[in-house]
Amino acid sequence: ENKQTILKTLTNIISTCFGGSKDWSIADFEHMFLLLRAKSIGEVEGFTIKCPVTAEDVNIKINLLKDVKLTKSKANNKVKLNENLVVVFKEPTIKTLAKYPDYKETTEQLYGFMGSCIKQIQNQKEIIDCSELSEKEITEFIENLTSIQFKSITDYFDSLPQVEIISKYETSDGVKREIKIKGLFDYINF
């Protein structure tokens, strides 16, 4: 199934079970999904993974209540791009993700995802409300950023709260290792 269909279905299920606006932060949505899954199929789920180091198949168990962590946000929604330019962001929501589900795979989706989260662009002369700009204008703004400025924006997104599952396992060589699963689609594809 495509990601938009999966998100729409999960949004409807979670809305029915938890109520709410259907415009949750991505981390809250992922956390509600995992809580619901734990209550419906059980707290512990087993997987077989291929260890990325030894290439052997390893059985792991994930406790959806104990092994799931919501990372703390270190994000300041105001990102200073230079002495005269500040971008103010709003946190991406499940609606943002539904509109740009492949933002990690295509440049066009990434720019759309980032652009939809830009609330304001501030310089010394004015504050531009991005709701008054077209998607094309915002995309052009992002395309014209320097690599350092673009990295500042990606750092903002990387610092947002996210659901993370960490599972520890031991390989046949006796080495203790761990695997991290970040985000809804990593979990579903796991």
Side-chain angles (χ1 to χ4, degrees):
E1 287 187 63
N2 75 33
K3 291 177 182 177
Q4 286 178 318
T5 303
I6 292 168
L7 285 170
K8 183 177 181 182
T9 303
L10 291 177
T11 299
N12 289 335
I13 292 168
I14 290 170
S15 179
T16 299
C17 294
F18 291 96
S21 69
K22 292 188 179 183
D23 200 23
W24 306 283
S25 74
I26 294 171
D28 287 344
F29 178 83
E30 291 171 342
H31 194 239
M32 287 186 285
F33 165 73
L34 292 172
L35 288 173
L36 186 59
R37 185 159 176 94
K39 292 298 180 187
S40 64
I41 66 161
E43 296 172 11
V44 178
E45 191 166 2
F47 297 95
T48 300
I49 63 162
K50 187 168 288 297
C51 176
V53 177
T54 66
E56 67 186 275
D57 288 339
V58 180
N59 293 321
I60 63 169
K61 291 193 185 296
I62 296 173
N63 185 314
L64 294 173
L65 297 180
K66 293 180 182 174
D67 296 334
V68 175
K69 306 288 183 248
L70 186 59
T71 62
K72 302 267 191 260
S73 176
K74 301 170 221 119
N76 176 353
N77 74 326
K78 292 183 179 181
V79 177
K80 187 174 184 177
L81 299 180
N82 63 37
E83 290 304 313
N84 304 317
L85 186 61
V86 173
V87 177
V88 180
F89 287 95
K90 55 188 174 195
E91 188 171 343
T93 65
I94 197 63
K95 285 183 180 178
T96 313
L97 184 58
K99 188 171 180 181
Y100 303 101
D102 295 318
Y103 76 96
K104 291 184 178 180
E105 287 134 32
T106 73
T107 303
E108 181 182 337
Q109 288 256 321
L110 176 63
Y111 288 176
F113 183 86
M114 288 177 161
S116 69
C117 296
I118 298 176
K119 187 176 178 180
Q120 294 177 339
I121 299 170
Q122 302 173 352
N123 61 36
Q124 290 178 330
K125 297 177 185 165
E126 63 184 330
I127 296 175
I128 301 166
D129 180 353
C130 290
S131 66
E132 298 172 6
L133 299 177
S134 70
E135 190 172 326
K136 184 179 182 212
E137 290 171 309
I138 295 171
T139 298
E140 287 173 359
F141 171 78
I142 294 169
E143 288 173 339
N144 288 313
L145 295 172
T146 67
S147 58
I148 293 169
Q149 291 170 333
F150 188 79
K151 172 94 170 75
S152 296
I153 289 176
T154 59
D155 288 348
Y156 162 77
F157 285 100
D158 290 343
S159 68
L160 291 172
Q162 61 182 332
V163 169
E164 182 177 83
I165 302 169
I166 300 173
S167 181
K168 298 181 189 273
Y169 63 94
E170 188 172 329
T171 49
S172 61
D173 58 4
V175 176
K176 294 182 194 272
R177 305 179 191 282
E178 69 179 30
I179 187 162
K180 291 183 183 180
I181 305 166
K182 293 183 178 185
L184 178 67
F185 292 117
D186 281 354
Y187 175 78
I188 289 172
N189 292 326
F190 200 66

